[in-house]
């Protein structure tokens, strides 16, 4: 158990809909990362928050947004969903966000039908 | 842009032999490198790391080698065990930056 909790574990939704994925980082970790893994591909970095503020942005679509709340949990919002958005979405956390190892949650499997 | 590349999607080795997984990067600002292991239906787990001030880091059966001039790192697993069968991701970051970049992964199969 990495200490990072992601909910829900599975999500099935229709095209055009909007979903919210939730991540609770390890206790004390200030940095939260979101990654997308499609069809056995590599991990694509989406976005990173540090202590409530956006720190780095990767290949995140404009239809996607994220935030980190004062209690440090984070949410990834995906809207106007398309079939190609079906993927595993991982959240990771690290203590200071300074390039040290990140600890991953078990992921949310999103299926868009 | 694929700043971290793992050009071998898969690797198969015999139990007891050495597994060598390779990773190349393009961003010379990267100064911290990590390997993660991922089993099906689980999140990646940290395996071993190396900072750019070193060229080798060893932890039990796992050794990571860094060649900064070639922008190349490799993970050696000796001896390989069937339980090592997983997808291995290489990652890189700048110590004062925060967007860790991952390679596409290499699926290692260790045959008994």
């Amino acid at each position: 158990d990495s200490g990072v909790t992601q909910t829900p574990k599975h999500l099935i939704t229709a095209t055009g809909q909007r979903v919210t994925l939730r991540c609770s980082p390890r206790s004390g970790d200030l940095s939260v990362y979101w990654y997308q893994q499609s069809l056995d591909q590599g991990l694509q970095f989406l976005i990173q928050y540090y202590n409530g503020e956006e720190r780095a942005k990767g290949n995140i679509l404009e239809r996607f947004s994220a935030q980190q709340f004062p209690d440090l949990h984070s949410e990834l919002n995906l809207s106007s969903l398309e079939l190609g958005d079906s993927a595993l979405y991982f959240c990771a956390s690290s203590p200071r966000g300074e390039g040290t190892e990140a600890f991953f949650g078990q992921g949310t499997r999103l299926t868009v039908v | 842009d694929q700043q971290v590349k793992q050009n071998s999607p898969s690797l198969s080795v015999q139990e007891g032999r050495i597994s060598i997984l390779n990773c190349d990067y393009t961003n010379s600002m990267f100064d911290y490198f990590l390997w993660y292991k991922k089993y099906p239906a689980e999140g990646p787990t940290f395996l071993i790391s190396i900072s750019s001030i070193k060229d080798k880091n060893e932890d039990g059966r796992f050794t990571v080698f860094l060649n900064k001039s070639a922008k190349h790192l490799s993970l050696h697993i000796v001896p390989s065990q069937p339980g090592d069968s997983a997808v291995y991701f290489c990652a890189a970051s700048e110590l004062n930056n925060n967007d860790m970049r991952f390679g596409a992964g290499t699926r290692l199969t260790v045959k008994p």
Side-chain angles (χ1 to χ4, degrees):
Chain A
D1 183 5
S2 67
V4 178
T5 305
Q6 287 187 250
T7 56
K9 283 198 168 72
H10 301 276
L11 196 50
I12 302 176
T13 190
T15 54
Q17 295 298 305
R18 173 190 166 94
V19 297
T20 297
L21 312 184
R22 183 188 167 100
C23 171
S24 294
R26 293 188 324 156
S27 177
D29 283 359
L30 299 178
S31 196
V32 170
Y33 306 77
W34 285 98
Y35 292 88
Q36 179 193 57
Q37 185 186 22
S38 305
L39 290 173
D40 241 12
Q41 293 181 12
L43 291 161
Q44 295 294 321
F45 170 69
L46 294 178
I47 197 164
Q48 189 237 345
Y49 280 82
Y50 178 77
N51 203 19
E53 296 197 358
E54 183 183 305
R55 180 64 70 92
K57 214 170 202 178
N59 300 321
I60 187 166
L61 300 172
E62 284 191 13
R63 300 183 285 109
F64 296 180
S65 65
Q67 53 184 328
Q68 186 179 28
F69 295 87
D71 67 352
L72 300 178
H73 92 270
S74 178
E75 293 180 356
L76 179 67
N77 301 296
L78 316 175
S79 61
S80 303
L81 285 167
E82 302 174 359
L83 295 177
D85 297 327
S86 296
L88 263 172
Y89 291 84
F90 287 104
C91 166
S93 73
S94 68
R96 297 181 307 280
E98 290 175 358
T100 54
E101 53 264 29
F103 296 84
F104 282 79
Q106 293 203 327
T108 293
R109 180 172 292 282
L110 173 67
T111 304
V112 182
V113 297
Chain B
D1 63 342
Q2 197 71 15
Q3 296 186 41
V4 178
K5 297 178 186 178
Q6 293 176 259
N7 292 320
S8 298
S10 63
L11 175 67
S12 181
V13 300
Q14 208 66 36
E15 181 178 6
R17 299 290 185 99
I18 183 171
S19 295
I20 300 177
L21 298 105
N22 293 304
C23 178
D24 297 292
Y25 61 95
T26 56
N27 187 345
S28 58
M29 299 299 291
F30 288 145
D31 49 16
Y32 194 71
F33 305 90
L34 309 93
W35 285 94
Y36 283 80
K37 181 164 114 172
K38 184 182 180 304
Y39 292 117
E42 293 183 13
T45 54
F46 169 73
L47 190 57
I48 193 169
S49 64
I50 188 168
S51 77
S52 60
I53 62 172
K54 293 185 174 182
D55 54 19
K56 177 182 173 182
N57 188 24
E58 196 170 347
D59 183 1
R61 296 185 297 113
F62 302 91
T63 303
V64 55
F65 295 92
L66 175 63
N67 182 335
K68 288 186 290 294
S69 60
K71 295 194 182 67
H72 177 84
L73 65 156
S74 60
L75 174 68
H76 292 211
I77 306 174
V78 182
S80 301
Q81 299 173 353
D84 296 329
S85 298
V87 177
Y88 289 79
F89 290 99
C90 165
S93 70
E94 300 171 46
L95 275 175
N96 61 357
N97 198 340
N98 300 287
D99 61 341
M100 195 178 301
R101 299 296 176 124
F102 282 80
T106 296
R107 183 180 300 279
L108 173 66
T109 303
V110 180
K111 297 180 178 177

